[in-house]
Amino acid sequence: MTARIDRDTLFIGGQWRAPSTSDTIPVVSPLTEKEIGSFPKSATTDIDSAVAAGRSALRRADWAGLSPTERAQVMRRFADEIEKRSEDRAVTVTRQNGMPIELSRAVEGAATVTLLRYYADLTESTPLEEVRESQPVPGTTIVRREPIGVVGAIAPWNFPAVLSMFKIAPALAAGCAVVLKPSPETTLDSYILAEAAIAAELPEGVLNIVTGGPDVGQYLVAHPGIDKVAFTGSTTAGRHIGRTCGELLKPATLELGGKSAALILDDADVEQTVTGLATASLLNTGQTCYMSTRILVPRKQSQTYIDAITAMAASLPVGDPMDSSTYIGPVVSAQQRDRVLSLIEQGRSEGGKITTGGGRPADLDTGYFVEPTVFASVENTSSIARQEVFGPVLSIIAYDGLDDAVALANDSEYGLGGTVWTTDQDRGVDVARRVETGSFGVNSYNLDWGSPFGGVKASGVGRELGPEGLASYQQLKSIFLQPN
Ligand code: NAD
């Protein structure tokens, strides 16, 4: 559990390959601040090899020649092998990014497997060809769904395993090949994915993994052998990738940042709402893109909610992420901790009133910890209400009437998630319809593999998950038949 993990190869073309350079990247534990392992940095020639391996898979009968049912069988074998390694993967993720271990087991372990199985089933049940009556000239058209090609998949560190699978599963379902680039903070767990691919006899080149930071990502995005980019990460990097893909006319799915709102209606049950907010606003130490971190409360009830949310945040166990009772672990890195602390400082300097937290926990002098922090009576114009913090920091904002609440929710650069809290589900759905966002939860926020997920405005372009996620890895071809 505490042994170093040092990798010295890359997974390309179904095999472990020696990297072309001796450059290595260290991995630092956010808990101990000590190095826990390392892996090689891919050189451009390694990335070229990975892309070439993907292109070759698209030409070979053992992948391109498979029927959807045969492809689904390969995917299910792969899911079984990933499942056997779930605990190892969950622990490795937690050691790298500080994710509380029970969350890591549920999401990085188990959910990654169910997602792959969902897409195995979907590929079998989604017809590849549809026959339409053509118009205005009467005749027949065959509309075909073909694999889009080789996908460059770039993942962040916050949920490295499942967010990689958001891309790999639909891409494989569509018959594509993938070159995955994990985040440098969380690359070690992707070696376990590669081990599962080898054990499952995934045809060579269908999945390749390249390693490194933004420069490796940029090279991959611009690579002429990459047909589509699937990116999850910050809005800044997303804009950069979007520019490159625009210039190259390359399709891109961009899942970016968020600053979502929780709209608490005047009929909400205070206790249930605040209990639910622990998950909807602070999951994974607040390092989850769709968190409802702007909490909109009816002005008349604002003190009740300030007290209840403050008590909830102050009660969350902070500590070793390997301890099953921990809810708030360290944030991923020293850089991320300093960023979160500086945003808290900025909020304070703009007159924000902190009711709990606001700094590093007094009893934890090692580890990149930040206390769960609540800002009360925040103006929606202040920086703490506008900038994505990506840490355990909440802002409580009072509203006057439902229209004001919806206007405040929509007054954001972002539009990724959001929640409404009410004892009247129909009222909640009415509010959901009015919020400018890609997804929204009524009295909780539970991602659904079968429904599209993504953002509007600065939260991104395109959708992952569901049949729409599969469609984004398919290219449409229309074949017009001359009437007999
Ligand atoms: P990041 O943008 O710094 O990095 C994400 C990945 O992109 C990493 O693998 C990184 O090496 C790579 N990268 C960075 N710049 C690049 C560039 N110019 N070209 C190609 N690749 C590049 O983000 P992060 O700090 O790892 O993750 C946190 C961010 O991700 C937050 O903003 C969060 O909201 C967002 N996120 C969004 C979603 C979503 O589904 N919308 C999900 C999780 C996280």
Side-chain angles (χ1 to χ4, degrees):
M1 211 77 99
T2 52
R4 273 186 70 95
I5 309 171
D6 290 292
R7 299 286 192 162
D8 55 8
T9 51
L10 298 170
F11 181 63
I12 295 173
Q15 291 162 11
W16 298 114
R17 297 234 193 129
S20 305
T21 72
S22 55
D23 291 353
T24 59
I25 297 178
V27 179
V28 173
S29 158
L31 177 69
T32 63
E33 305 183 19
K34 299 229 160 63
E35 209 178 293
I36 54 165
S38 66
F39 58 90
K41 181 179 174 191
S42 300
T44 53
T45 48
D46 300 319
I47 306 167
D48 293 343
S49 300
V51 174
R55 298 221 74 78
S56 133
L58 291 184
R59 288 190 301 266
R60 276 200 332 270
D62 64 349
W63 184 240
L66 298 188
S67 68
T69 300
E70 290 166 330
R71 213 156 52 221
Q73 281 164 1
V74 174
M75 291 170 69
R76 291 191 187 107
R77 268 196 332 253
F78 190 22
D80 291 346
E81 293 299 334
I82 296 172
E83 190 169 40
K84 287 180 197 163
R85 295 161 177 81
S86 282
E87 178 65 11
D88 191 10
R89 191 106 187 262
V91 169
T92 306
V93 167
T94 290
R95 290 188 65 196
Q96 295 170 103
N97 72 359
M99 179 184 297
I101 187 65
E102 291 308 329
L103 178 65
S104 195
R105 286 188 173 120
V107 179
E108 299 293 278
T112 303
V113 175
T114 60
L115 178 54
L116 187 51
R117 289 187 179 139
Y118 164 78
Y119 273 108
D121 292 348
L122 195 68
T123 194
E124 272 190 308
S125 62
T126 308
L128 289 180
E129 293 190 353
E130 184 194 328
V131 178
R132 297 185 189 172
E133 279 181 29
S134 50
Q135 50 182 321
V137 180
T140 308
T141 298
I142 301 170
V143 179
R144 263 180 71 72
R145 294 168 181 270
E146 300 183 344
I148 206 163
V150 181
V151 175
I154 301 179
W157 45 259
N158 62 333
F159 287 93
V162 83
L163 290 174
S164 299
M165 194 52 81
F166 271 39
K167 298 153 184 53
I168 295 167
L172 299 196
C176 296
V178 176
V179 179
L180 171 70
K181 192 205 82 66
S183 200
E185 292 83 353
T186 48
T187 294
L188 295 175
D189 60 285
S190 68
Y191 283 83
I192 301 169
L193 183 71
E195 285 165 4
I198 293 170
E201 296 177 7
L202 199 66
E204 64 187 54
V206 168
L207 174 66
N208 310 276
I209 302 177
V210 297
T211 53
D215 55 331
V216 170
Q218 282 171 30
Y219 187 81
L220 184 64
V221 166
H223 202 290
I226 291 292
D227 301 298
K228 173 196 162 112
V229 174
F231 171 77
T232 300
S234 62
T235 295
T236 307
R239 286 187 203 281
H240 195 281
I241 292 169
R243 274 195 294 275
T244 305
C245 290
E247 184 60 33
L248 296 170
L249 299 178
K250 195 178 280 198
T253 310
L254 305 171
E255 300 281 2
L256 312 177
K259 188 77 185 180
S260 302
L263 293 90
I264 303 181
L265 305 194
D266 52 9
D267 64 359
D269 179 284
V270 177
E271 200 184 313
Q272 278 179 18
T273 299
V274 172
T275 304
L277 282 176
T279 314
S281 65
L282 288 166
L283 190 75
N284 196 20
T285 315
Q287 300 167 118
T288 310
C289 51
Y290 56 76
M291 292 288 90
S292 294
T293 53
R294 289 186 297 140
I295 301 179
L296 310 182
V297 301
R299 192 173 301 279
K300 281 198 187 116
Q301 292 170 275
S302 65
Q303 196 54 51
T304 305
Y305 279 108
I306 289 169
D307 293 344
I309 292 166
T310 300
M312 176 274 286
S315 73
L316 297 173
V318 181
D320 182 347
M322 281 306 296
D323 180 339
S324 286
S325 64
T326 292
Y327 196 80
I328 300 286
V331 297
V332 67
S333 61
Q335 188 193 5
Q336 184 67 8
R337 177 198 57 199
D338 295 346
R339 194 178 157 271
V340 173
L341 291 176
S342 98
L343 285 165
I344 292 174
E345 245 355 273
Q346 199 178 342
R348 214 193 300 259
S349 70
E350 288 176 16
K353 184 170 166 259
I354 293 175
T355 55
T356 186
R360 299 170 66 170
D363 57 338
L364 291 166
D365 47 11
T366 306
Y368 307 133
F369 288 97
V370 177
E371 292 173 299
T373 299
V374 176
F375 278 89
S377 314
V378 169
E379 292 298 328
N380 198 47
T381 48
S382 66
S383 58
I384 202 71
R386 303 205 80 78
Q387 294 193 41
E388 180 182 51
V389 178
F390 226 55
V393 181
L394 305 180
S395 298
I396 302 177
I397 302 169
Y399 70 80
D400 300 294
L402 199 51
D403 288 348
D404 186 35
V406 171
L408 286 167
N410 289 340
D411 180 15
S412 170
E413 183 194 355
Y414 298 104
L416 186 60
T419 46
V420 61
W421 305 83
T422 172
T423 46
D424 180 345
Q425 196 178 72
D426 291 343
R427 220 177 147 211
V429 174
D430 280 344
V431 168
R433 292 193 176 109
R434 296 174 63 189
V435 177
E436 296 160 3
T437 187
S439 61
F440 200 78
V442 179
N443 291 324
S444 66
Y445 181 106
N446 292 312
L447 269 182
D448 167 18
W449 291 167
S451 303
F453 172 75
V456 301
K457 303 194 272 186
S459 290
V461 178
R463 294 290 179 271
E464 294 189 305
L465 302 181
E468 295 80 4
L470 172 59
S472 79
Y473 292 91
Q474 292 172 323
Q475 207 139 228
L476 295 174
K477 179 187 283 176
S478 295
I479 305 173
F480 312 121
L481 304 183
Q482 165 78 15
N484 290 322

